Amino acid sequence: MAAERGNGNVKRQLAEVFERSLRATVPSEVDVEPIITVGTGNFGDYQCNNAMGVFSKIKGKNAEFKNPRSVGEAIIKNLPESELVESCSVAGPGFVNIVLSKTWLAKSIQNMLAEGIETWAPKLPIKRAVVDFSSPNIAKEMHVGHLRSTIIGDTLARMLEFSGVEVLRRNHVGDWGTQFGMLIEFLFEQFPQWENETELPIKDLEGFYKQSKKRFDDDAEFKQRAQKAVVSLQGGDSKYREAWSKICEISRREFQKVYVRLGVQLEEKGESFYNPYIPKVLDILRSKNLIEPSEGAQVIFIEGKQIPLIVVKSDGGFNYASTDLTALWYRLNEEKAEWIIYVTDVGQREHFEMFFHAAKLAGWLPSDKYPKVNHVGFGLVLGEDGKRFRTRSSEVVRLVDLLDEAKSRSKDALIERGKATEWSEEQLLQTAEAVGYGAVKYADLKNNRLTNYTFNFDQMLNDKGNTAVYLLYAHARICSIIRKSGKDIEELKKIGEVVLDHSDERALGLHLLHFSEIVEEACSNLLPNVLCEYLYNLSEFFTKFYSNCQVVGSPEETSRLLLCEATAVVMRTCFKLLGITPVYQI
């Protein structure tokens, strides 16, 4: 039988207990939802913060309660028996501090080890989501902006999938539009025999794009030919479609080199996919009287915006807005998605605000529930000079080169530590990849995505501080402790018992139990850095536990080995959600 999700969410389980108490305390107030938060300082593990709100509702109506504190005391008095709660106390103006039962904490960790970490996966109120991420343009190199979109989007998709949501991972590539006329005409000119070539001899598509753009800007006759080529392509001319298809294929192969290195899965549905549906969708919007003529174009006016959303250009062509509205319509109606998440840089925020607003005007998106849409914006990657990250020659940094350098530096660091003599070449390369690529991903994901961050190889590959290298090594150390014990951990899971008598054992156990609600928070707010912070803090709690609690050879060895294993399982799951490959030896 599949393990049931949601068993690990302590906040939710406490809310159920306190809801029963609130019903008994103020039966007249049926709409009071329990407010449970994580405790601060030494005041308890969690808090119930309902007393003040409840008192303001019943003030003057219920003589039994003189102040919020008396409400807090009644909430404790009316608590049903629960194995979760060891004790409660009222602080200040009615805050109820909750201390969890260490027996229950220990049992929860033991159950997770027996039944699998999936039992701690959150339960989300949706079944299917679209995550639209990466989305490079055909004939352009993937650069650091695409790195952020790809890494953030992949992590959001992984967290939603872990939470039981079917995720349609969409690569909305820019594979349609005016630049293709220019590229196709340049192709015809440079390679007259292109139709006989099984593979076009274009080694540098970015360079090819730049040359064709220069030709387009400098040569009026070429520009005219390119503009006619767009019409032929969009009209379905087979020769132009085939040339377009070959150019797209070269780009796809280049993109795939990045996706393979990053371990990212995507399904391409580019702009061209939605093109046939645009007229139908615009007709739907016209039937709702949303589209109006303006200066030769067709637009949707958005309240509070000075410039309208153009959906048909003055030359009759379609644009981003028409494609994006159509893609949204398709995702809602054909793919039945309940949550559609767009991962792009913050510079596109206004475009998304406007087209989401238009979708609401059309009645596609209710204001208070699913289906819903979110734009997940992110800041810039900066160089050491504080400007947009570029190479010395001011070119955008090729992602493949950047990832290869991370792997190479990681390999050098391992050789410096003498691993080349200890390990096989294969193990050396696999570890260098896991650490190098993991370092790049984690350095990005640990920041709040809305802020800019400075790209620095030395910092991200440091084995001290809040880096992937430190965390991967911490995980490997835990695996080493278990190996050195000589015990069969799978056997211990069946016969052993977790005990949390020492304060550092309890603190580690409590942090492990926060995992489910942290993943839920990171999903709901679309913030991967919340998970990174949790993972780093987990390694700190483990270090304190290991410094003060002897594991191997102690009377508590079995329990403490199980606590080591639970920490390793949760760390590995965090790595998986962040798209980082764990290492087991250092």
Side-chain angles (χ1 to χ4, degrees), residues 359-398:
K360 280 177 182 157
L361 290 174
W364 296 352
L365 300 168
S367 55
D368 56 342
K369 57 183 188 299
Y370 297 97
K372 70 174 184 176
V373 289
N374 280 95
H375 173 229
V376 173
F378 53 81
L380 297 172
V381 181
L382 307 175
E384 294 297 319
D385 57 1
K387 295 178 182 162
R388 200 185 275 261
F389 185 45
R390 293 183 179 276
T391 61
R392 287 203 177 104
S393 58
S394 293
E395 294 285 331
V396 291
V397 178
R398 290 177 77 236

Side-chain angles (χ1 to χ4, degrees), residues 203-215:
K203 293 286 173 274
D204 175 14
L205 197 54
E206 177 95 356
F208 186 80
Y209 179 90
K210 284 177 182 167
Q211 288 175 292
S212 68
K213 179 78 172 79
K214 189 173 187 316
R215 193 73 207 287

Side-chain angles (χ1 to χ4, degrees), residues 335-463:
E335 293 179 325
K336 308 291 185 206
E338 296 154 278
W339 195 5
I340 299 143
I341 297 160
Y342 299 82
V343 188
T344 77
D345 65 272
V346 287
Q348 295 186 46
R349 183 169 56 205
E350 187 165 51
H351 165 74
F352 282 99
E353 276 176 11
M354 288 177 73
F355 114 73
F356 291 167
H357 195 100
K360 280 177 182 157
L361 290 174
W364 296 352
L365 300 168
S367 55
D368 56 342
K369 57 183 188 299
Y370 297 97
K372 70 174 184 176
V373 289
N374 280 95
H375 173 229
V376 173
F378 53 81
L380 297 172
V381 181
L382 307 175
E384 294 297 319
D385 57 1
K387 295 178 182 162
R388 200 185 275 261
F389 185 45
R390 293 183 179 276
T391 61
R392 287 203 177 104
S393 58
S394 293
E395 294 285 331
V396 291
V397 178
R398 290 177 77 236
L399 271 196
V400 168
D401 296 343
L402 182 139
L403 292 167
D404 287 351
E405 177 156 358
K407 177 183 169 181
S408 168
R409 285 179 182 229
S410 175
K411 185 182 175 187
D412 291 345
L414 289 166
I415 291 169
E416 242 174 74
R417 294 175 57 165
K419 296 300 171 188
T421 53
E422 283 179 43
W423 293 349
S424 67
E425 179 68 13
E426 188 186 8
Q427 189 180 357
L428 188 69
L429 284 176
Q430 281 177 347
T431 308
E433 262 185 25
V435 173
Y437 300 162
V440 171
K441 287 185 177 187
Y442 188 81
D444 189 303
L445 294 167
K446 74 176 181 182
N447 300 286
N448 182 313
R449 57 178 166 76
L450 291 164
T451 59
N452 301 337
Y453 78 95
T454 302
F455 192 95
N456 181 312
F457 271 125
D458 292 336
Q459 275 177 6
M460 61 180 65
L461 289 164
N462 195 330
D463 61 3

Side-chain angles (χ1 to χ4, degrees), residues 6-196:
N7 289 352
N9 194 316
V10 184
K11 221 182 259 186
R12 206 164 280 218
Q13 292 180 66
L14 283 171
E16 286 172 18
V17 175
F18 276 82
E19 184 170 18
R20 286 159 67 189
S21 170
L22 285 163
R23 295 285 165 269
T25 306
V26 278
S28 58
E29 304 300 321
V30 289
D31 59 343
V32 176
E33 293 289 327
I35 303 164
I36 307 292
T37 59
V38 174
T40 52
N42 300 317
F43 296 117
D45 304 322
Y46 286 82
Q47 272 187 346
C48 173
N49 298 334
N50 284 91
M52 289 164 79
V54 165
F55 184 71
S56 67
K57 284 187 167 199
I58 60 171
K59 200 174 174 182
K61 291 193 287 183
N62 190 328
E64 184 190 339
F65 301 111
K66 302 285 182 285
N67 51 36
R69 194 177 174 91
S70 62
V71 176
E73 284 161 356
I75 289 171
I76 293 176
K77 187 165 86 56
N78 289 318
L79 267 182
E81 274 293 305
S82 167
E83 59 173 352
L84 272 83
V85 180
E86 193 163 288
S87 64
C88 288
S89 58
V90 180
F95 298 114
V96 176
N97 289 323
I98 307 157
V99 176
L100 298 177
S101 151
K102 67 180 178 186
T103 311
W104 180 82
L105 283 172
K107 198 169 117 188
S108 301
I109 292 166
Q110 218 166 303
N111 289 345
M112 180 276 282
L113 286 172
E115 296 165 19
I117 190 73
E118 296 73 26
T119 56
W120 282 8
K123 280 180 176 173
L124 297 182
I126 56 160
K127 289 190 169 60
R128 182 180 286 179
V130 168
V131 182
D132 178 328
F133 66 108
S134 196
S135 309
N137 285 319
I138 295 290
K140 299 273 192 78
E141 286 280 10
M142 285 182 78
H143 55 74
V144 285
H146 297 120
L147 176 73
R148 294 216 75 186
S149 176
T150 307
I151 290 171
I152 294 166
D154 182 51
T155 290
L156 295 176
R158 285 169 182 266
M159 291 195 300
L160 288 166
E161 285 160 349
F162 178 67
S163 306
V165 178
E166 181 195 356
V167 178
L168 307 181
R169 295 158 156 264
R170 292 286 176 255
N171 202 2
H172 188 89
V173 295
D175 65 351
W176 206 241
T178 51
Q179 81 271 25
F180 278 97
M182 173 183 95
L183 286 163
I184 289 167
E185 276 307 315
F186 197 62
L187 173 73
F188 291 168
E189 204 173 73
Q190 295 295 308
F191 303 103
Q193 302 300 309
W194 68 273
E195 285 171 286
N196 304 325

Side-chain angles (χ1 to χ4, degrees), residues 515-526:
F515 170 76
S516 179
E517 59 211 35
I518 288 292
V519 176
E520 187 163 334
E521 183 192 333
C523 276
S524 303
N525 299 323
L526 303 166

